[in-house]
Amino acid sequence: MLWIMRFSGLFSAALVIIVLSPSLQSFPPAEAIRSSHHLDAYLRFPTSDPNPHRFSFRKAPVFRNAADCPAADIDSGVCNPSLVHVAITLDFEYLRGSVAAVHSILKHSSCPESVFFHFLVSETGLDSLIRSTFPELRFKVYYFDPEIVRTLISTSVRQALEQPLNYARNYLAGLLEPCVRRVIYLDSDLVVVDDIAKLWKTKLGSKTIGAPEYCHANFTKYFTAAFWSDERFSGAFEGRKPCYFNTGVMVMDLERWRRVGYTEVIEKWMEIQKKSDRRIYELGSLPPFLLVFAGEVAPIEHRWNQHGLGGDNVRGSCRDLHPGPVSLLHWSGSGKPWFRLDSRRPCPLDTLWAPYDLYGHYNSR
């Protein structure tokens, strides 16, 4: 268990590196993963990157299950009930972050053979990059058509939040196989420094999603004055005690999601935003999720989303960790560690992301 108190400055960051550095962790050995799934033949779609080979990643170490893990049947497929399912988006802009996230999960998993990755993409060429970096990874690639949400997306405070792939999490229940009843959704700008199986075991009870909640945050700021002044909109929270939660780390009950039809409910709020004569929110894909689920979230310890490390959505300024234990570091906000490291102007906490970076150019310096 990792306990990190609030700190600032390079000296404190160096101390945390000692705690979090992969080479100094005492997790069970993990060295081999088999891959039994390949890119489906139907995934033939246009690419927006003219040169997908411009990326060069080092091959990740191989990881093996600990002795007390369930036997891994590599031929059982995605419906194996013993699997831990993790969904992450892949795109060329954030590919380096996604690769680091996968690396961190495998590094700290006691049963890496039991982790199955579901990659959501809107571009070609990414499956081969993942396969060459993680030759024995168990994964499948799913195409998310940007046109599904393009007409529903509103302008946001940051252009990156307007990308269609940001909304793919809304469609996981329909994209993934019906036998996948639960999934952990993770953003691409984070690293996991604890065993992902602990997060997987979250008890959701009667709730559809679980996430760390932040009830001290000013919830009203996520919606406009026009929203709060109109009871047709603000009445959505009647009978609830809504709290802010970050949608970059969620445990999702896909079976319940499918049964209720939450994708359609989220889409209806996006349609209201587009058709209304006054905007009801400003911040990308988050507000529709809050409208549907805030106040109805199974709480997860804050250690599983130490978010905001990318700074705010405008300046991307450096930030400290929140006090308390750390299982997941999340660079939400406009500042991403790989960009800051490459510019040689990193924030102190960016050095905690660097050990998981497999990008060839950076690691070769």
Side-chain angles (χ1 to χ4, degrees), residues 140-201:
K140 186 173 180 179
V141 175
Y142 302 78
Y143 176 59
F144 177 70
D145 185 356
E147 299 306 318
I148 292 175
V149 293
R150 201 178 299 280
T151 60
L152 296 173
I153 296 175
S154 303
T155 56
S156 183
V157 296
R158 183 158 57 92
Q159 188 174 8
L161 300 177
E162 301 171 21
Q163 299 306 310
L165 201 58
N166 281 338
Y167 296 82
R169 74 195 82 187
N170 303 356
Y171 298 86
L172 279 169
L175 289 169
L176 273 55
E177 287 78 357
C179 64
V180 179
R181 302 171 62 182
R182 169 184 283 223
V183 70
I184 298 172
Y185 176 82
L186 298 177
D187 274 351
S188 300
D189 52 357
L190 55 77
V191 292
V192 177
V193 294
D194 204 343
D195 192 343
I196 195 71
K198 298 176 183 177
L199 182 59
W200 176 253
K201 294 175 183 177

Side-chain angles (χ1 to χ4, degrees), residues 36-176:
S36 60
H37 292 270
H38 303 281
L39 184 66
D40 288 349
Y42 66 83
L43 294 180
R44 301 188 181 95
F45 38 88
T47 178
S48 60
D49 190 277
N51 183 19
H53 301 293
R54 64 188 170 92
F55 292 94
S56 175
F57 291 97
R58 292 185 295 113
K59 185 181 294 186
V62 258
F63 299 93
R64 178 175 299 137
N65 276 3
D68 58 348
C69 293
D73 182 357
I74 63 173
D75 297 319
S76 61
V78 70
C79 294
N80 185 335
S82 69
L83 293 175
V84 171
H85 296 278
V86 177
I88 301 178
T89 60
L90 290 181
D91 68 323
F92 284 103
E93 184 175 359
Y94 283 81
L95 181 61
R96 191 165 162 188
S98 298
V99 168
V102 172
H103 185 200
S104 70
I105 292 169
L106 297 176
K107 177 68 180 180
H108 297 296
S109 175
S110 58
C111 302
E113 288 180 283
S114 298
V115 182
F116 193 101
F117 290 90
H118 304 264
F119 293 119
L120 311 176
V121 306
S122 295
E123 304 164 292
T124 56
L126 293 168
D127 64 307
S128 59
L129 287 169
I130 291 295
R131 199 180 312 285
S132 62
T133 306
F134 303 100
E136 300 180 57
L137 188 70
R138 302 182 73 177
F139 74 95
K140 186 173 180 179
V141 175
Y142 302 78
Y143 176 59
F144 177 70
D145 185 356
E147 299 306 318
I148 292 175
V149 293
R150 201 178 299 280
T151 60
L152 296 173
I153 296 175
S154 303
T155 56
S156 183
V157 296
R158 183 158 57 92
Q159 188 174 8
L161 300 177
E162 301 171 21
Q163 299 306 310
L165 201 58
N166 281 338
Y167 296 82
R169 74 195 82 187
N170 303 356
Y171 298 86
L172 279 169
L175 289 169
L176 273 55

Side-chain angles (χ1 to χ4, degrees), residues 11-32:
F11 177 72
S12 296
L15 292 179
V16 179
I17 294 171
I18 295 174
V19 179
L20 295 182
S21 174
S23 62
L24 298 176
Q25 291 292 333
S26 58
F27 288 88
E31 297 174 3

